[in-house]
PDB file of all heavy atoms in Angstrom:
ATOM      1  N   HIS A  96     -16.251  -8.626  -7.140  1.00  0.00           N
ATOM      2  CA  HIS A  96     -17.098  -9.732  -7.636  1.00  0.00           C
ATOM      3  C   HIS A  96     -17.418  -9.541  -9.153  1.00  0.00           C
ATOM      4  O   HIS A  96     -17.256 -10.500  -9.898  1.00  0.00           O
ATOM      5  CB  HIS A  96     -18.371  -9.797  -6.824  1.00  0.00           C
ATOM      6  CG  HIS A  96     -19.424 -10.661  -7.455  1.00  0.00           C
ATOM      7  ND1 HIS A  96     -19.330 -12.024  -7.501  1.00  0.00           N
ATOM      8  CD2 HIS A  96     -20.576 -10.288  -8.139  1.00  0.00           C
ATOM      9  CE1 HIS A  96     -20.388 -12.503  -8.160  1.00  0.00           C
ATOM     10  NE2 HIS A  96     -21.177 -11.494  -8.559  1.00  0.00           N
ATOM     11  N   ARG A 107     -13.884 -10.457 -21.842  1.00  0.00           N
ATOM     12  CA  ARG A 107     -13.062  -9.925 -20.728  1.00  0.00           C
ATOM     13  C   ARG A 107     -12.774  -8.446 -20.891  1.00  0.00           C
ATOM     14  O   ARG A 107     -11.889  -7.914 -20.249  1.00  0.00           O
ATOM     15  CB  ARG A 107     -11.746 -10.698 -20.718  1.00  0.00           C
ATOM     16  CG  ARG A 107     -11.944 -12.181 -20.376  1.00  0.00           C
ATOM     17  CD  ARG A 107     -10.632 -12.941 -20.521  1.00  0.00           C
ATOM     18  NE  ARG A 107     -10.764 -14.312 -20.015  1.00  0.00           N
ATOM     19  CZ  ARG A 107      -9.760 -15.190 -20.072  1.00  0.00           C
ATOM     20  NH1 ARG A 107      -8.592 -14.852 -20.553  1.00  0.00           N
ATOM     21  NH2 ARG A 107      -9.963 -16.426 -19.621  1.00  0.00           N
ATOM     22  N   ASN A 120      -6.821   1.413  -2.792  1.00  0.00           N
ATOM     23  CA  ASN A 120      -6.841   2.816  -2.394  1.00  0.00           C
ATOM     24  C   ASN A 120      -7.888   3.630  -3.133  1.00  0.00           C
ATOM     25  O   ASN A 120      -7.789   4.857  -3.212  1.00  0.00           O
ATOM     26  CB  ASN A 120      -5.439   3.430  -2.571  1.00  0.00           C
ATOM     27  CG  ASN A 120      -4.916   3.449  -3.970  1.00  0.00           C
ATOM     28  OD1 ASN A 120      -5.129   2.433  -4.691  1.00  0.00           O
ATOM     29  ND2 ASN A 120      -4.257   4.501  -4.392  1.00  0.00           N
ATOM     30  N   ARG A 131      -9.383  17.949  -2.054  1.00  0.00           N
ATOM     31  CA  ARG A 131      -8.238  18.666  -2.620  1.00  0.00           C
ATOM     32  C   ARG A 131      -7.015  18.583  -1.688  1.00  0.00           C
ATOM     33  O   ARG A 131      -6.137  19.433  -1.770  1.00  0.00           O
ATOM     34  CB  ARG A 131      -8.562  20.166  -2.912  1.00  0.00           C
ATOM     35  CG  ARG A 131      -9.911  20.439  -3.542  1.00  0.00           C
ATOM     36  CD  ARG A 131     -10.024  19.802  -4.887  1.00  0.00           C
ATOM     37  NE  ARG A 131      -8.962  20.110  -5.834  1.00  0.00           N
ATOM     38  CZ  ARG A 131      -8.654  19.397  -6.877  1.00  0.00           C
ATOM     39  NH1 ARG A 131      -9.296  18.254  -7.126  1.00  0.00           N
ATOM     40  NH2 ARG A 131      -7.692  19.723  -7.683  1.00  0.00           N
ATOM     41  N   ALA A 134      -1.867  16.272   0.944  1.00  0.00           N
ATOM     42  CA  ALA A 134      -1.063  15.755   2.076  1.00  0.00           C
ATOM     43  C   ALA A 134      -0.871  14.238   1.888  1.00  0.00           C
ATOM     44  O   ALA A 134      -1.587  13.569   1.138  1.00  0.00           O
ATOM     45  CB  ALA A 134      -1.760  16.040   3.371  1.00  0.00           C
ATOM     46  N   CYS A 136      -1.068  10.270   2.150  1.00  0.00           N
ATOM     47  CA  CYS A 136      -2.237   9.392   2.387  1.00  0.00           C
ATOM     48  C   CYS A 136      -1.746   7.948   2.403  1.00  0.00           C
ATOM     49  O   CYS A 136      -1.112   7.527   1.474  1.00  0.00           O
ATOM     50  CB  CYS A 136      -3.240   9.606   1.268  1.00  0.00           C
ATOM     51  SG  CYS A 136      -4.597   8.449   1.274  1.00  0.00           S
ATOM     52  N   GLN A 137      -2.030   7.262   3.495  1.00  0.00           N
ATOM     53  CA  GLN A 137      -1.666   5.845   3.585  1.00  0.00           C
ATOM     54  C   GLN A 137      -2.879   4.971   3.397  1.00  0.00           C
ATOM     55  O   GLN A 137      -3.962   5.344   3.825  1.00  0.00           O
ATOM     56  CB  GLN A 137      -1.046   5.524   4.986  1.00  0.00           C
ATOM     57  CG  GLN A 137       0.014   6.504   5.460  1.00  0.00           C
ATOM     58  CD  GLN A 137       1.185   6.568   4.480  1.00  0.00           C
ATOM     59  OE1 GLN A 137       1.525   5.645   3.827  1.00  0.00           O
ATOM     60  NE2 GLN A 137       1.793   7.748   4.440  1.00  0.00           N
ATOM     61  N   VAL A 138      -2.698   3.810   2.785  1.00  0.00           N
ATOM     62  CA  VAL A 138      -3.792   2.843   2.667  1.00  0.00           C
ATOM     63  C   VAL A 138      -3.235   1.496   3.082  1.00  0.00           C
ATOM     64  O   VAL A 138      -2.361   0.919   2.437  1.00  0.00           O
ATOM     65  CB  VAL A 138      -4.363   2.832   1.227  1.00  0.00           C
ATOM     66  CG1 VAL A 138      -5.546   1.871   1.176  1.00  0.00           C
ATOM     67  CG2 VAL A 138      -4.743   4.216   0.776  1.00  0.00           C
ATOM     68  N   CYS A 140      -3.517  -2.421   5.032  1.00  0.00           N
ATOM     69  CA  CYS A 140      -4.292  -3.649   5.272  1.00  0.00           C
ATOM     70  C   CYS A 140      -3.505  -4.576   6.161  1.00  0.00           C
ATOM     71  O   CYS A 140      -2.334  -4.810   5.945  1.00  0.00           O
ATOM     72  CB  CYS A 140      -4.651  -4.332   3.975  1.00  0.00           C
ATOM     73  SG  CYS A 140      -5.552  -5.877   4.212  1.00  0.00           S
ATOM     74  N   ASP A 152       0.414   3.434  12.464  1.00  0.00           N
ATOM     75  CA  ASP A 152       1.021   4.361  11.464  1.00  0.00           C
ATOM     76  C   ASP A 152       0.524   5.773  11.705  1.00  0.00           C
ATOM     77  O   ASP A 152       1.288   6.745  11.599  1.00  0.00           O
ATOM     78  CB  ASP A 152       0.751   3.854  10.056  1.00  0.00           C
ATOM     79  CG  ASP A 152       1.606   4.690   9.047  1.00  0.00           C
ATOM     80  OD1 ASP A 152       2.843   4.532   9.103  1.00  0.00           O
ATOM     81  OD2 ASP A 152       1.046   5.498   8.342  1.00  0.00           O
ATOM     82  N   LYS A 180     -16.659 -16.797   1.737  1.00  0.00           N
ATOM     83  CA  LYS A 180     -15.241 -16.895   2.103  1.00  0.00           C
ATOM     84  C   LYS A 180     -14.832 -15.805   3.053  1.00  0.00           C
ATOM     85  O   LYS A 180     -13.832 -15.950   3.707  1.00  0.00           O
ATOM     86  CB  LYS A 180     -14.427 -16.762   0.807  1.00  0.00           C
ATOM     87  CG  LYS A 180     -14.694 -17.815  -0.279  1.00  0.00           C
ATOM     88  CD  LYS A 180     -14.185 -19.183   0.187  1.00  0.00           C
ATOM     89  CE  LYS A 180     -14.379 -20.223  -0.893  1.00  0.00           C
ATOM     90  NZ  LYS A 180     -13.938 -21.557  -0.396  1.00  0.00           N
TER      91      LYS A 180
ATOM     92  N   THR B  40      -4.471 -17.627 -19.805  1.00  0.00           N
ATOM     93  CA  THR B  40      -5.280 -17.663 -21.034  1.00  0.00           C
ATOM     94  C   THR B  40      -5.522 -16.288 -21.652  1.00  0.00           C
ATOM     95  O   THR B  40      -6.437 -16.042 -22.435  1.00  0.00           O
ATOM     96  CB  THR B  40      -6.682 -18.237 -20.706  1.00  0.00           C
ATOM     97  OG1 THR B  40      -7.221 -17.441 -19.631  1.00  0.00           O
ATOM     98  CG2 THR B  40      -6.599 -19.692 -20.228  1.00  0.00           C
ATOM     99  N   TYR B 116     -13.291 -18.363  -9.817  1.00  0.00           N
ATOM    100  CA  TYR B 116     -14.575 -17.957 -10.446  1.00  0.00           C
ATOM    101  C   TYR B 116     -14.859 -18.827 -11.707  1.00  0.00           C
ATOM    102  O   TYR B 116     -16.040 -18.980 -12.065  1.00  0.00           O
ATOM    103  CB  TYR B 116     -14.594 -16.494 -10.768  1.00  0.00           C
ATOM    104  CG  TYR B 116     -15.289 -15.637  -9.702  1.00  0.00           C
ATOM    105  CD1 TYR B 116     -14.602 -15.437  -8.507  1.00  0.00           C
ATOM    106  CD2 TYR B 116     -16.537 -15.107  -9.877  1.00  0.00           C
ATOM    107  CE1 TYR B 116     -15.211 -14.677  -7.488  1.00  0.00           C
ATOM    108  CE2 TYR B 116     -17.120 -14.350  -8.892  1.00  0.00           C
ATOM    109  CZ  TYR B 116     -16.466 -14.128  -7.695  1.00  0.00           C
ATOM    110  OH  TYR B 116     -17.056 -13.365  -6.706  1.00  0.00           O
ATOM    111  N   PRO B 127     -14.908 -22.845  -5.189  1.00  0.00           N
ATOM    112  CA  PRO B 127     -14.367 -24.134  -4.669  1.00  0.00           C
ATOM    113  C   PRO B 127     -13.870 -23.988  -3.218  1.00  0.00           C
ATOM    114  O   PRO B 127     -13.407 -22.922  -2.822  1.00  0.00           O
ATOM    115  CB  PRO B 127     -13.199 -24.421  -5.628  1.00  0.00           C
ATOM    116  CG  PRO B 127     -13.035 -23.228  -6.492  1.00  0.00           C
ATOM    117  CD  PRO B 127     -14.227 -22.422  -6.373  1.00  0.00           C
ATOM    118  N   THR B 157       0.463  -4.315   5.314  1.00  0.00           N
ATOM    119  CA  THR B 157       0.577  -4.187   3.832  1.00  0.00           C
ATOM    120  C   THR B 157       0.149  -2.736   3.513  1.00  0.00           C
ATOM    121  O   THR B 157      -0.797  -2.202   4.069  1.00  0.00           O
ATOM    122  CB  THR B 157      -0.407  -5.133   3.172  1.00  0.00           C
ATOM    123  OG1 THR B 157       0.064  -6.486   3.338  1.00  0.00           O
ATOM    124  CG2 THR B 157      -0.513  -4.847   1.672  1.00  0.00           C
ATOM    125  N   SER B 159      -1.227  -0.762   0.270  1.00  0.00           N
ATOM    126  CA  SER B 159      -1.751  -1.036  -1.096  1.00  0.00           C
ATOM    127  C   SER B 159      -2.264   0.281  -1.664  1.00  0.00           C
ATOM    128  O   SER B 159      -3.467   0.626  -1.485  1.00  0.00           O
ATOM    129  CB  SER B 159      -2.851  -2.088  -1.031  1.00  0.00           C
ATOM    130  OG  SER B 159      -3.207  -2.497  -2.317  1.00  0.00           O
ATOM    131  N   LYS B 167       6.239   3.313  -0.488  1.00  0.00           N
ATOM    132  CA  LYS B 167       5.713   3.856   0.723  1.00  0.00           C
ATOM    133  C   LYS B 167       6.038   2.974   1.919  1.00  0.00           C
ATOM    134  O   LYS B 167       6.056   3.456   3.071  1.00  0.00           O
ATOM    135  CB  LYS B 167       4.209   4.072   0.589  1.00  0.00           C
ATOM    136  CG  LYS B 167       3.870   5.253  -0.319  1.00  0.00           C
ATOM    137  CD  LYS B 167       2.413   5.360  -0.647  1.00  0.00           C
ATOM    138  CE  LYS B 167       1.586   5.891   0.521  1.00  0.00           C
ATOM    139  NZ  LYS B 167       1.786   7.319   0.775  1.00  0.00           N
ATOM    140  N   ARG B 174       9.244   5.173   9.929  1.00  0.00           N
ATOM    141  CA  ARG B 174       8.496   5.810  11.041  1.00  0.00           C
ATOM    142  C   ARG B 174       8.511   4.937  12.305  1.00  0.00           C
ATOM    143  O   ARG B 174       8.754   5.456  13.407  1.00  0.00           O
ATOM    144  CB  ARG B 174       7.013   6.062  10.630  1.00  0.00           C
ATOM    145  CG  ARG B 174       6.832   7.226   9.686  1.00  0.00           C
ATOM    146  CD  ARG B 174       5.393   7.647   9.543  1.00  0.00           C
ATOM    147  NE  ARG B 174       4.600   6.797   8.666  1.00  0.00           N
ATOM    148  CZ  ARG B 174       4.477   6.979   7.366  1.00  0.00           C
ATOM    149  NH1 ARG B 174       5.146   7.922   6.744  1.00  0.00           N
ATOM    150  NH2 ARG B 174       3.733   6.153   6.622  1.00  0.00           N
ATOM    151  N   GLU B 250       6.137  11.813   0.667  1.00  0.00           N
ATOM    152  CA  GLU B 250       4.851  11.296   0.206  1.00  0.00           C
ATOM    153  C   GLU B 250       3.905  12.460  -0.025  1.00  0.00           C
ATOM    154  O   GLU B 250       3.944  13.474   0.641  1.00  0.00           O
ATOM    155  CB  GLU B 250       4.245  10.358   1.290  1.00  0.00           C
ATOM    156  CG  GLU B 250       5.163   9.192   1.602  1.00  0.00           C
ATOM    157  CD  GLU B 250       4.640   8.365   2.780  1.00  0.00           C
ATOM    158  OE1 GLU B 250       3.861   7.449   2.542  1.00  0.00           O
ATOM    159  OE2 GLU B 250       4.990   8.656   3.962  1.00  0.00           O
ATOM    160  N   SER B 252      -0.187  13.439  -2.243  1.00  0.00           N
ATOM    161  CA  SER B 252      -1.336  13.035  -3.026  1.00  0.00           C
ATOM    162  C   SER B 252      -1.582  14.017  -4.143  1.00  0.00           C
ATOM    163  O   SER B 252      -1.357  15.217  -3.991  1.00  0.00           O
ATOM    164  CB  SER B 252      -2.576  12.964  -2.127  1.00  0.00           C
ATOM    165  OG  SER B 252      -2.390  12.124  -1.018  1.00  0.00           O
ATOM    166  N   ALA B 254      -4.638  14.551  -5.545  1.00  0.00           N
ATOM    167  CA  ALA B 254      -5.987  15.158  -5.399  1.00  0.00           C
ATOM    168  C   ALA B 254      -6.531  15.585  -6.752  1.00  0.00           C
ATOM    169  O   ALA B 254      -7.132  16.694  -6.890  1.00  0.00           O
ATOM    170  CB  ALA B 254      -5.906  16.354  -4.433  1.00  0.00           C
ATOM    171  N   PHE B 383      -2.142   5.041  -9.050  1.00  0.00           N
ATOM    172  CA  PHE B 383      -3.542   5.377  -9.203  1.00  0.00           C
ATOM    173  C   PHE B 383      -4.066   5.966  -7.915  1.00  0.00           C
ATOM    174  O   PHE B 383      -3.591   5.610  -6.818  1.00  0.00           O
ATOM    175  CB  PHE B 383      -4.369   4.090  -9.473  1.00  0.00           C
ATOM    176  CG  PHE B 383      -4.468   3.695 -10.911  1.00  0.00           C
ATOM    177  CD1 PHE B 383      -3.668   4.332 -11.890  1.00  0.00           C
ATOM    178  CD2 PHE B 383      -5.354   2.731 -11.331  1.00  0.00           C
ATOM    179  CE1 PHE B 383      -3.779   3.929 -13.226  1.00  0.00           C
ATOM    180  CE2 PHE B 383      -5.462   2.366 -12.642  1.00  0.00           C
ATOM    181  CZ  PHE B 383      -4.661   2.960 -13.575  1.00  0.00           C
TER     182      PHE B 383
END
Side-chain angles (χ1 to χ4, degrees):
Chain A
H96 165 73
R107 294 173 173 179
N120 61 321
R131 316 301 305 159
C136 171
Q137 312 301 330
V138 184
C140 178
D152 191 67
K180 302 290 184 181
Chain B
T40 56
Y116 264 72
T157 292
S159 190
K167 289 171 74 71
R174 285 193 281 274
E250 301 174 88
S252 304
F383 273 12

